[in-house]
Amino acid sequence: MDFKDILYTKEDGIATITLNRPQALNALTPRMQQEWMRAIQDATYDDEVKVLVVTGAGRAFCAGMD
């Protein structure tokens, strides 16, 4: 699965998940939930990841569910 509604990066032991639907105040969709879980699983099983940061693009972190 390609990430469409989140951004997921890893650098220097820090994994970052960014909810990326700023036009909808990052309200979660079923696809976002699947992408979120995939990213968390990847970070969990990557021995180089020491920190996981979760953030939202735009002016809101997350406005709930769509």
Side-chain angles (χ1 to χ4, degrees):
M1 171 193 303
D2 291 327
F3 295 121
K4 178 181 174 200
D5 293 329
I6 70 166
L7 303 174
Y8 178 58
T9 60
K10 294 188 285 185
E11 185 176 331
D12 297 328
I14 302 170
T16 303
I17 298 172
T18 303
L19 304 180
N20 194 32
R21 292 183 63 227
Q23 72 284 1
L25 301 178
N26 298 315
L28 294 174
T29 64
R31 179 181 178 100
M32 282 179 82
Q33 291 175 9
Q34 290 173 350
E35 292 178 7
W36 177 305
M37 291 308 301
R38 182 171 169 229
I40 289 174
Q41 287 176 345
D42 180 85
T44 298
Y45 294 110
D46 186 335
D47 291 336
E48 294 189 16
V49 173
K50 304 301 181 201
V51 176
L52 177 61
V53 176
V54 181
T55 188
R59 64 186 182 100
F61 170 67
C62 180
M65 300 262 322
D66 258 0

